């Protein structure tokens, strides 16, 4: 890995993309408008796709062309975003099982970044 700024930027873009997707698909449980207008909400998919495309680009470049790190970091950012937003909006706490899963998600990111 040669470019730490690409790593940080790509990781943050994945976190943003995962957050936007959470609202897109789970907004129906916190917003009557989103529940009544699924077609309108589905159009968020286009800008969200661009976020994922650029996140992937930056992380693949950060890892010198390796594809696996970006996939695993993207997955882990999804786990983290989902846990936080589900707790925040739907009041569903972190169980022991979920907590262990989140620790594993963080471990996945650290392995991808630190293991040479």
């Amino acid at each position: 890995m040669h470019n730490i700024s690409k790593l940080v930027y790509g990781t943050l873009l994945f976190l943003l993309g995962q957050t936007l997707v959470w609202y897109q698909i789970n907004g129906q449980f916190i917003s009557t408008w989103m529940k009544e207008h699924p077609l309108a909400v589905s159009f968020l998919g286009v800008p969200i796709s661009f976020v994922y495309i650029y996140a992937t680009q930056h992380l693949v470049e950060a890892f010198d062309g390796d594809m696996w790190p970006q996939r695993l970091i993207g997955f882990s950012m999804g786990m983290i975003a989902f846990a936080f937003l589900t707790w925040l909006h739907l009041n569903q706490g972190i169980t022991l099982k979920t907590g262990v899963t989140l620790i594993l998600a963080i471990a996945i990111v650290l392995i991808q970044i630190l293991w040479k």
Side-chain angles (χ1 to χ4, degrees):
M1 180 174 57
H2 291 118
N3 194 325
I4 194 76
S5 64
K6 286 192 176 287
L7 169 69
V8 170
Y9 191 60
T11 300
L12 290 175
L13 282 173
F14 264 120
L15 185 60
L16 173 64
Q18 295 286 6
T19 299
L20 293 172
V21 165
W22 190 94
Y23 284 106
Q24 182 187 30
I25 63 176
N26 296 305
Q28 62 184 318
F29 304 115
I30 60 174
S31 166
T32 304
W33 185 90
M34 291 181 88
K35 185 175 185 172
E36 294 173 353
H37 299 91
L39 182 61
V41 173
S42 73
F43 289 120
L44 292 172
V46 173
I48 291 170
S49 293
F50 280 104
V51 172
Y52 283 125
I53 289 167
Y54 290 118
T56 299
Q57 177 185 12
H58 285 284
L59 286 177
V60 169
E61 289 175 7
F63 287 95
D64 300 322
D66 288 341
M67 295 295 292
W68 276 105
Q70 64 82 25
R71 178 63 189 109
L72 295 169
I73 290 171
F75 163 77
S76 297
M77 291 301 101
M79 293 294 298
I80 292 165
F82 185 90
F84 176 74
L85 294 169
T86 302
W87 166 78
L88 180 69
H89 291 293
L90 301 176
N91 211 21
Q92 295 184 18
I94 307 290
T95 64
L96 179 60
K97 178 173 72 171
T98 303
V100 170
T101 305
L102 289 172
I103 290 168
L104 291 172
I106 292 166
I108 288 169
V109 172
L110 293 175
I111 287 168
Q112 291 302 311
I113 293 170
L114 300 175
W115 191 328
K116 301 294 177 199

